[in-house]
Amino acid sequence: MPNMSQKKNPMPVQDAKLRATNFEEVALGYSPEQARDEALRCLNCKNKPCVSGCPVAVDIPAFLAKVAAGDDEGAYDIISASSSLPAVCGRVCPQENQCEKYCTRGNKGEPVAIGRVERYVADRHLAGSTEAEAPVTPNGHRVAIVGAGPAGLTCAGDLARLGYAVTIFEALHVAGGVLVYGIPEFRLPKRIVAREIEGLKAMGVDIQTNMVIGKVLSIDELFEEGFEAVFLGSGSGLPSFMGIPGENLRGVFSANEFLTRINLMKAYQPGAATPIYRGNKVVVVGGGNVAMDAARCALRLGASEVNIVYRRSHEELPARAEEIEHAREEGVVFRLLSNPVRILGDDKHRVTGLRCVEMELGEPDESGRRRPVEKRDSEFTIEADCVIMAIGTSPNPLLRTTTPGLESNRRGGLIVEEETGLTTKKMVYAGGDVVTGSATVIMAMGAGKKAAAAIHKALSEKKA
Amino acid sequence: MYRILKKRMLNPSVVLLEIEAPAIAKKAQPGQFIILRVNEQGERIPLTIADFDRQRGSVTVIAQTVGATTELLAAKQEGEFIADFVGPLGVPTHTEGLKKVAVVGGGVGCAIAYPVAKKLHELGCEVHSIVGFRSRGLVILEEEFRAVSDVYRLVSDDGTTGVKGMVTDALKELLDEGHVYDEVLAIGPLIMMKFVCQLTEAYGVKTVVSMNPIMIDGTGMCGGCRLTVGGKTKFACVDGPEFDGHQVDFDEAIDRAATYREFEQRAHEETCRLLRGGE
């Protein structure tokens, strides 16, 4: 009998006051009892609407049924058949816009907490098993992957399982991409990422760090070295700024810089070699996950006041619902329907505040969201000694500017075939932020997965 | 891990390190930079490539011991390793078609100016080198510069070597003597580059400067290295590090370089204390 409770099992979390002072994980994870109870809420619908909402098409009802039956490892096998990074997805996917959005239970009450159960399954697996996946018989073909983020890792995992010899080239000194430089420890512990990457290595995936493809080796040279296909998952690039006065004042940072110092370089830890600017009154501009991460990091670094400034209303905030809720609980103040017009500074070029204007929602724009328009004579100032711009990034320019034959659109995203990820260059595929600009981990994973299938098809046909 | 093939102190506070990095050596060009970490807990710092040897598979960097990381770097010995070394990053110096160039180096900036002077010389360009140091004991690469320069002018702040004065004085002299340069290349402290640019603007001589701002990844991701050039935001790591000096907002760059100064000073003192044996 399904559990007909209209509510999800609540996720146990660290107390809001306490967690706002540390970088330990906020959500503590389900107990086996909670996971089973939650899995029992699944009605096992025949048409599986949830699966159609998952970019990597995990067989959700099947894994929930295993959990309900107490077979956690069986559940893990089902998830990992579709997803290379289950412990990551369970934590960072915006489930409310994907699988859970289509859950039948959501028609009346809350949907099944699919993400939370997925996380439970992955964590149980990581805690329990030490055995790696059985190595597959090599098929004698080599594929190069550029960028060890969600897209590249997923593509690598899928190809390695098919017997390909896969080499990932990573520009930074550690693999993981946005999972290590962008998403904070309190949302995604780095040991989890490291475990997932160890799993790939155990399958035979070779990861070479400190390799900036496009600079130290060109894509053509990768082919000369014997790689038969290349997947580009080099991720997001230059942070966007608003183009308002004062953006280069001291104390203004891109969220990428602020978060990279904290997450990749561990600047929040005592004695760290990398400096971090600890603002007292911090304003974060933007409403996505990156903005939430930056705001919550600023709190944890000791800020007495953190404001998020976003030009639309609560409904349009693009961040995961859980992150918004957590940020609020921790004391982040949301200044919605507000848009910065200039950053104020003192005579030493240090930030002193953010001048904003109030907005109201007008007619819907091309994205279907109501366009925010300025209210007349509504300017106001928020005092600040630190301003963090979290308004997105443009795709990384390194490859498109150094690779002949690789074409990009006017926003700088690589042009690819929707279904395969094939770029305008022969046997070169791409996916993730380098194609789309800032998007989500799971979208990048979906693109990596599609490309892996397309590469396999292309190379199999070549063989035949 | 990257092996240190050679280490030499060029003066008491400037270290030269030749690092084994064959893949980078194969592609490196003057004007480009690398990013390194000394150890597993280290910070990432950018250093401009001072030289490279494609046969030996090595890249040479020269650093002034101005902070914790550069002190740790200088404490490394030949045969030891550094954790990370990545590059070559940034856009190479534009050297084609230049017939007569004044290369202006200030302090440790000479380490970066030298490979460009060398390449220009090899391409048959007339090279006038103007190098400045605070004092005699700090002079680096004198022989190397002389070997590739048609004119070599050495100045020092205190007059203990060369002519007492600033690089701008020497450059002004050469300009007033009637030398017409296709380009002036200025590499050194921000304040020096600013004044060189003020001078050359008055003379209408195109001037290229090499910026070395705060940076983390060096691949166009963090945005820490942004600066204003011609009223637009540019990123030193992918758009530079060299820019048209007459377009650079130096005052802003000088301010931004000071963002972490207090932290850097504390870390530097702490590191020096530890390196001296923790008294």
mmCIF file of all heavy atoms in Angstrom, chain A residues 239-271:
data_model
loop_
_atom_site.group_PDB
_atom_site.id
_atom_site.type_symbol
_atom_site.label_atom_id
_atom_site.label_comp_id
_atom_site.label_asym_id
_atom_site.label_seq_id
_atom_site.Cartn_x
_atom_site.Cartn_y
_atom_site.Cartn_z
ATOM 1 N N PRO A 239 32.505 36.017 -16.286
ATOM 2 C CA PRO A 239 31.338 36.464 -15.538
ATOM 3 C C PRO A 239 30.751 37.723 -16.168
ATOM 4 O O PRO A 239 31.470 38.583 -16.647
ATOM 5 C CB PRO A 239 31.904 36.769 -14.153
ATOM 6 C CG PRO A 239 33.370 36.913 -14.330
ATOM 7 C CD PRO A 239 33.750 36.111 -15.526
ATOM 8 N N SER A 240 29.432 37.817 -16.142
ATOM 9 C CA SER A 240 28.774 39.009 -16.671
ATOM 10 C C SER A 240 28.724 40.094 -15.603
ATOM 11 O O SER A 240 28.608 39.801 -14.416
ATOM 12 C CB SER A 240 27.341 38.672 -17.086
ATOM 13 O OG SER A 240 27.346 37.645 -18.035
ATOM 14 N N PHE A 241 28.805 41.311 -16.050
ATOM 15 C CA PHE A 241 28.591 42.455 -15.166
ATOM 16 C C PHE A 241 27.456 43.267 -15.769
ATOM 17 O O PHE A 241 27.038 43.023 -16.893
ATOM 18 C CB PHE A 241 29.880 43.272 -15.038
ATOM 19 C CG PHE A 241 30.932 42.554 -14.222
ATOM 20 C CD1 PHE A 241 31.825 41.684 -14.826
ATOM 21 C CD2 PHE A 241 30.987 42.712 -12.846
ATOM 22 C CE1 PHE A 241 32.772 40.989 -14.076
ATOM 23 C CE2 PHE A 241 31.927 42.021 -12.083
ATOM 24 C CZ PHE A 241 32.818 41.159 -12.704
ATOM 25 N N MET A 242 26.934 44.234 -15.006
ATOM 26 C CA MET A 242 25.753 44.951 -15.480
ATOM 27 C C MET A 242 26.089 46.118 -16.395
ATOM 28 O O MET A 242 25.226 46.620 -17.104
ATOM 29 C CB MET A 242 24.946 45.473 -14.286
ATOM 30 C CG MET A 242 24.343 44.367 -13.452
ATOM 31 S SD MET A 242 23.345 45.053 -12.111
ATOM 32 C CE MET A 242 21.956 45.700 -13.045
ATOM 33 N N GLY A 243 27.351 46.581 -16.302
ATOM 34 C CA GLY A 243 27.713 47.763 -17.070
ATOM 35 C C GLY A 243 27.270 49.047 -16.388
ATOM 36 O O GLY A 243 27.066 50.065 -17.028
ATOM 37 N N ILE A 244 27.115 48.989 -15.048
ATOM 38 C CA ILE A 244 26.741 50.205 -14.314
ATOM 39 C C ILE A 244 27.999 50.807 -13.685
ATOM 40 O O ILE A 244 29.001 50.112 -13.506
ATOM 41 C CB ILE A 244 25.692 49.901 -13.209
ATOM 42 C CG1 ILE A 244 26.216 48.840 -12.225
ATOM 43 C CG2 ILE A 244 24.365 49.476 -13.827
ATOM 44 C CD1 ILE A 244 25.318 48.614 -11.029
ATOM 45 N N PRO A 245 27.964 52.103 -13.355
ATOM 46 C CA PRO A 245 29.146 52.733 -12.756
ATOM 47 C C PRO A 245 29.521 52.058 -11.436
ATOM 48 O O PRO A 245 28.643 51.646 -10.674
ATOM 49 C CB PRO A 245 28.696 54.181 -12.520
ATOM 50 C CG PRO A 245 27.528 54.391 -13.417
ATOM 51 C CD PRO A 245 26.863 53.056 -13.564
ATOM 52 N N GLY A 246 30.805 51.957 -11.191
ATOM 53 C CA GLY A 246 31.301 51.472 -9.906
ATOM 54 C C GLY A 246 31.598 49.991 -9.834
ATOM 55 O O GLY A 246 31.984 49.488 -8.789
ATOM 56 N N GLU A 247 31.452 49.282 -10.955
ATOM 57 C CA GLU A 247 31.629 47.826 -10.879
ATOM 58 C C GLU A 247 33.067 47.383 -10.653
ATOM 59 O O GLU A 247 33.303 46.236 -10.295
ATOM 60 C CB GLU A 247 31.062 47.150 -12.133
ATOM 61 C CG GLU A 247 29.553 47.047 -12.076
ATOM 62 C CD GLU A 247 28.962 46.288 -13.242
ATOM 63 O OE1 GLU A 247 29.357 46.553 -14.381
ATOM 64 O OE2 GLU A 247 28.095 45.437 -13.002
ATOM 65 N N ASN A 248 34.016 48.287 -10.879
ATOM 66 C CA ASN A 248 35.405 47.904 -10.638
ATOM 67 C C ASN A 248 35.956 48.499 -9.346
ATOM 68 O O ASN A 248 37.154 48.501 -9.112
ATOM 69 C CB ASN A 248 36.280 48.292 -11.833
ATOM 70 C CG ASN A 248 35.960 47.426 -13.045
ATOM 71 O OD1 ASN A 248 35.368 46.353 -12.910
ATOM 72 N ND2 ASN A 248 36.326 47.889 -14.219
ATOM 73 N N LEU A 249 35.063 48.991 -8.494
ATOM 74 C CA LEU A 249 35.504 49.486 -7.186
ATOM 75 C C LEU A 249 36.055 48.317 -6.365
ATOM 76 O O LEU A 249 35.710 47.158 -6.599
ATOM 77 C CB LEU A 249 34.322 50.112 -6.432
ATOM 78 C CG LEU A 249 33.832 51.461 -6.938
ATOM 79 C CD1 LEU A 249 32.475 51.796 -6.306
ATOM 80 C CD2 LEU A 249 34.842 52.562 -6.619
ATOM 81 N N ARG A 250 36.893 48.654 -5.376
ATOM 82 C CA ARG A 250 37.395 47.619 -4.474
ATOM 83 C C ARG A 250 36.253 47.121 -3.612
ATOM 84 O O ARG A 250 35.564 47.914 -2.983
ATOM 85 C CB ARG A 250 38.466 48.216 -3.571
ATOM 86 C CG ARG A 250 39.844 47.776 -3.956
ATOM 87 C CD ARG A 250 40.817 48.810 -3.527
ATOM 88 N NE ARG A 250 41.198 48.642 -2.120
ATOM 89 C CZ ARG A 250 41.965 49.500 -1.480
ATOM 90 N NH1 ARG A 250 42.404 50.582 -2.077
ATOM 91 N NH2 ARG A 250 42.298 49.281 -0.240
ATOM 92 N N GLY A 251 36.091 45.800 -3.580
ATOM 93 C CA GLY A 251 34.989 45.235 -2.815
ATOM 94 C C GLY A 251 33.856 44.753 -3.709
ATOM 95 O O GLY A 251 32.870 44.232 -3.214
ATOM 96 N N VAL A 252 34.020 44.923 -5.035
ATOM 97 C CA VAL A 252 33.034 44.363 -5.962
ATOM 98 C C VAL A 252 33.651 43.117 -6.594
ATOM 99 O O VAL A 252 34.769 43.164 -7.109
ATOM 100 C CB VAL A 252 32.664 45.359 -7.079
ATOM 101 C CG1 VAL A 252 31.604 44.748 -7.998
ATOM 102 C CG2 VAL A 252 32.166 46.664 -6.491
ATOM 103 N N PHE A 253 32.934 42.011 -6.520
ATOM 104 C CA PHE A 253 33.455 40.751 -7.045
ATOM 105 C C PHE A 253 32.422 40.088 -7.938
ATOM 106 O O PHE A 253 31.222 40.256 -7.745
ATOM 107 C CB PHE A 253 33.779 39.779 -5.891
ATOM 108 C CG PHE A 253 34.751 40.351 -4.908
ATOM 109 C CD1 PHE A 253 34.298 41.030 -3.782
ATOM 110 C CD2 PHE A 253 36.112 40.246 -5.118
ATOM 111 C CE1 PHE A 253 35.188 41.588 -2.885
ATOM 112 C CE2 PHE A 253 37.007 40.796 -4.223
ATOM 113 C CZ PHE A 253 36.550 41.471 -3.103
ATOM 114 N N SER A 254 32.911 39.288 -8.869
ATOM 115 C CA SER A 254 32.002 38.376 -9.553
ATOM 116 C C SER A 254 31.756 37.232 -8.580
ATOM 117 O O SER A 254 32.626 36.903 -7.763
ATOM 118 C CB SER A 254 32.626 37.836 -10.840
ATOM 119 O OG SER A 254 33.600 36.865 -10.540
ATOM 120 N N ALA A 255 30.583 36.621 -8.669
ATOM 121 C CA ALA A 255 30.313 35.472 -7.810
ATOM 122 C C ALA A 255 31.325 34.367 -8.097
ATOM 123 O O ALA A 255 31.746 33.645 -7.199
ATOM 124 C CB ALA A 255 28.891 34.968 -8.037
ATOM 125 N N ASN A 256 31.734 34.247 -9.356
ATOM 126 C CA ASN A 256 32.731 33.231 -9.707
ATOM 127 C C ASN A 256 34.010 33.409 -8.905
ATOM 128 O O ASN A 256 34.579 32.443 -8.399
ATOM 129 C CB ASN A 256 33.083 33.323 -11.203
ATOM 130 C CG ASN A 256 32.241 32.388 -12.043
ATOM 131 O OD1 ASN A 256 31.324 31.741 -11.541
ATOM 132 N ND2 ASN A 256 32.561 32.307 -13.323
ATOM 133 N N GLU A 257 34.485 34.652 -8.809
ATOM 134 C CA GLU A 257 35.728 34.874 -8.066
ATOM 135 C C GLU A 257 35.520 34.584 -6.577
ATOM 136 O O GLU A 257 36.296 33.856 -5.954
ATOM 137 C CB GLU A 257 36.240 36.310 -8.242
ATOM 138 C CG GLU A 257 37.496 36.531 -7.390
ATOM 139 C CD GLU A 257 38.091 37.932 -7.446
ATOM 140 O OE1 GLU A 257 37.606 38.774 -8.204
ATOM 141 O OE2 GLU A 257 39.060 38.162 -6.696
ATOM 142 N N PHE A 258 34.452 35.141 -6.037
ATOM 143 C CA PHE A 258 34.168 34.980 -4.604
ATOM 144 C C PHE A 258 34.054 33.496 -4.248
ATOM 145 O O PHE A 258 34.672 33.005 -3.301
ATOM 146 C CB PHE A 258 32.873 35.727 -4.289
ATOM 147 C CG PHE A 258 32.523 35.801 -2.826
ATOM 148 C CD1 PHE A 258 33.303 36.545 -1.950
ATOM 149 C CD2 PHE A 258 31.406 35.149 -2.335
ATOM 150 C CE1 PHE A 258 32.967 36.622 -0.598
ATOM 151 C CE2 PHE A 258 31.069 35.224 -0.991
ATOM 152 C CZ PHE A 258 31.851 35.967 -0.127
ATOM 153 N N LEU A 259 33.272 32.769 -5.045
ATOM 154 C CA LEU A 259 33.033 31.349 -4.744
ATOM 155 C C LEU A 259 34.267 30.491 -5.029
ATOM 156 O O LEU A 259 34.536 29.527 -4.302
ATOM 157 C CB LEU A 259 31.831 30.835 -5.539
ATOM 158 C CG LEU A 259 30.484 31.407 -5.092
ATOM 159 C CD1 LEU A 259 29.380 31.003 -6.054
ATOM 160 C CD2 LEU A 259 30.131 30.957 -3.667
ATOM 161 N N THR A 260 35.018 30.832 -6.065
ATOM 162 C CA THR A 260 36.216 30.041 -6.369
ATOM 163 C C THR A 260 37.232 30.153 -5.236
ATOM 164 O O THR A 260 37.860 29.166 -4.842
ATOM 165 C CB THR A 260 36.843 30.503 -7.700
ATOM 166 O OG1 THR A 260 35.887 30.326 -8.734
ATOM 167 C CG2 THR A 260 38.069 29.670 -8.041
ATOM 168 N N ARG A 261 37.379 31.353 -4.711
ATOM 169 C CA ARG A 261 38.300 31.517 -3.579
ATOM 170 C C ARG A 261 37.868 30.637 -2.404
ATOM 171 O O ARG A 261 38.681 29.998 -1.748
ATOM 172 C CB ARG A 261 38.336 32.982 -3.123
ATOM 173 C CG ARG A 261 39.061 33.882 -4.071
ATOM 174 C CD ARG A 261 39.044 35.329 -3.637
ATOM 175 N NE ARG A 261 39.750 36.125 -4.624
ATOM 176 C CZ ARG A 261 41.065 36.283 -4.652
ATOM 177 N NH1 ARG A 261 41.812 35.740 -3.723
ATOM 178 N NH2 ARG A 261 41.637 36.982 -5.607
ATOM 179 N N ILE A 262 36.567 30.609 -2.162
ATOM 180 C CA ILE A 262 36.068 29.866 -1.008
ATOM 181 C C ILE A 262 36.096 28.356 -1.265
ATOM 182 O O ILE A 262 36.603 27.591 -0.450
ATOM 183 C CB ILE A 262 34.628 30.330 -0.684
ATOM 184 C CG1 ILE A 262 34.666 31.779 -0.193
ATOM 185 C CG2 ILE A 262 33.971 29.408 0.343
ATOM 186 C CD1 ILE A 262 33.314 32.441 -0.097
ATOM 187 N N ASN A 263 35.552 27.940 -2.395
ATOM 188 C CA ASN A 263 35.346 26.507 -2.615
ATOM 189 C C ASN A 263 36.580 25.788 -3.141
ATOM 190 O O ASN A 263 36.995 24.777 -2.585
ATOM 191 C CB ASN A 263 34.182 26.301 -3.578
ATOM 192 C CG ASN A 263 32.910 26.938 -3.060
ATOM 193 O OD1 ASN A 263 32.634 26.885 -1.868
ATOM 194 N ND2 ASN A 263 32.159 27.573 -3.933
ATOM 195 N N LEU A 264 37.145 26.315 -4.204
ATOM 196 C CA LEU A 264 38.317 25.657 -4.794
ATOM 197 C C LEU A 264 39.554 25.890 -3.940
ATOM 198 O O LEU A 264 40.325 24.968 -3.681
ATOM 199 C CB LEU A 264 38.562 26.204 -6.209
ATOM 200 C CG LEU A 264 39.795 25.651 -6.925
ATOM 201 C CD1 LEU A 264 39.567 24.202 -7.339
ATOM 202 C CD2 LEU A 264 40.135 26.491 -8.161
ATOM 203 N N MET A 265 39.731 27.131 -3.496
ATOM 204 C CA MET A 265 40.972 27.491 -2.807
ATOM 205 C C MET A 265 40.851 27.416 -1.284
ATOM 206 O O MET A 265 41.810 27.675 -0.578
ATOM 207 C CB MET A 265 41.428 28.895 -3.231
ATOM 208 C CG MET A 265 41.560 29.106 -4.740
ATOM 209 S SD MET A 265 42.509 27.841 -5.619
ATOM 210 C CE MET A 265 44.134 28.030 -4.878
ATOM 211 N N LYS A 266 39.653 27.093 -0.790
ATOM 212 C CA LYS A 266 39.441 26.886 0.653
ATOM 213 C C LYS A 266 39.812 28.127 1.475
ATOM 214 O O LYS A 266 40.315 28.018 2.587
ATOM 215 C CB LYS A 266 40.255 25.692 1.162
ATOM 216 C CG LYS A 266 40.073 24.433 0.341
ATOM 217 C CD LYS A 266 38.830 23.686 0.769
ATOM 218 C CE LYS A 266 38.547 22.481 -0.083
ATOM 219 N NZ LYS A 266 37.369 22.620 -0.920
ATOM 220 N N ALA A 267 39.538 29.302 0.914
ATOM 221 C CA ALA A 267 39.954 30.534 1.583
ATOM 222 C C ALA A 267 39.198 30.771 2.885
ATOM 223 O O ALA A 267 39.581 31.620 3.682
ATOM 224 C CB ALA A 267 39.772 31.728 0.645
ATOM 225 N N TYR A 268 38.104 30.031 3.117
ATOM 226 C CA TYR A 268 37.351 30.214 4.360
ATOM 227 C C TYR A 268 38.032 29.535 5.531
ATOM 228 O O TYR A 268 37.735 29.824 6.689
ATOM 229 C CB TYR A 268 35.920 29.675 4.203
ATOM 230 C CG TYR A 268 35.811 28.169 4.022
ATOM 231 C CD1 TYR A 268 35.653 27.333 5.133
ATOM 232 C CD2 TYR A 268 35.881 27.592 2.766
ATOM 233 C CE1 TYR A 268 35.562 25.957 4.964
ATOM 234 C CE2 TYR A 268 35.785 26.229 2.589
ATOM 235 C CZ TYR A 268 35.625 25.406 3.693
ATOM 236 O OH TYR A 268 35.549 24.058 3.530
ATOM 237 N N GLN A 269 38.956 28.614 5.237
ATOM 238 C CA GLN A 269 39.594 27.876 6.328
ATOM 239 C C GLN A 269 40.696 28.712 6.967
ATOM 240 O O GLN A 269 41.409 29.436 6.280
ATOM 241 C CB GLN A 269 40.172 26.553 5.796
ATOM 242 C CG GLN A 269 39.091 25.582 5.375
ATOM 243 C CD GLN A 269 39.652 24.328 4.719
ATOM 244 O OE1 GLN A 269 40.836 24.242 4.420
ATOM 245 N NE2 GLN A 269 38.786 23.360 4.489
ATOM 246 N N PRO A 270 40.851 28.591 8.296
ATOM 247 C CA PRO A 270 41.914 29.345 8.958
ATOM 248 C C PRO A 270 43.278 28.950 8.378
ATOM 249 O O PRO A 270 43.516 27.774 8.127
ATOM 250 C CB PRO A 270 41.810 28.909 10.426
ATOM 251 C CG PRO A 270 40.506 28.201 10.564
ATOM 252 C CD PRO A 270 40.086 27.737 9.212
ATOM 253 N N GLY A 271 44.110 29.936 8.143
ATOM 254 C CA GLY A 271 45.458 29.648 7.652
ATOM 255 C C GLY A 271 45.539 29.382 6.159
ATOM 256 O O GLY A 271 46.597 29.013 5.651
#
